[in-house]
Amino acid sequence: MRREHEAEFARVYGPRGDWAQLFSQGKGYRGTDLLRDAPETQRYVTVDSWDSLNDLTLFKEQHHDAYAALDRRCEAFTEYEELIGSFEVAV
């Protein structure tokens, strides 16, 4: 996250931010958590929860244009972005 965009980044990626509002249009969306690394305060992880990977995939298909537009708008906030995985509850 770029320091000069910290407030806007937190607003857009937070649990009531622009991403969460967009995702809330999809079936199976459970919510978003924005986590900040305590020692390295410019590093964040967003955790978007869905009922299933299929729900997320369907959402991305149905809302492709809006997702791509928001993604482009948010590019300036970060130095890089990396998908670390798609996880499901194990137990």
Side-chain angles (χ1 to χ4, degrees), residues 69-90:
L70 183 54
D71 194 44
R72 279 191 303 275
R73 194 183 93 197
C74 295
E75 284 179 351
F77 300 158
T78 60
E79 294 178 18
Y80 72 95
E81 180 179 348
E82 179 182 356
L83 176 66
I84 61 171
S86 296
F87 301 86
E88 58 189 16
V89 176

Side-chain angles (χ1 to χ4, degrees), residues 5 8-9 11-13 17-19 66-78:
H5 296 290
E8 182 70 359
F9 175 88
R11 187 193 69 72
V12 170
Y13 285 91
D18 297 1
W19 281 106
Y67 185 99
L70 183 54
D71 194 44
R72 279 191 303 275
R73 194 183 93 197
C74 295
E75 284 179 351
F77 300 158
T78 60

Side-chain angles (χ1 to χ4, degrees), residues 37-64:
D37 187 341
E40 191 175 325
T41 60
Q42 286 183 264
R43 185 166 64 173
Y44 287 80
V45 173
T46 56
V47 179
D48 302 312
S49 298
W50 295 81
D51 286 341
S52 70
L53 183 56
N54 187 56
D55 286 338
L56 172 59
T57 301
L58 183 61
F59 168 82
K60 285 183 174 181
E61 290 171 1
Q62 293 175 339
H63 300 274
H64 177 269

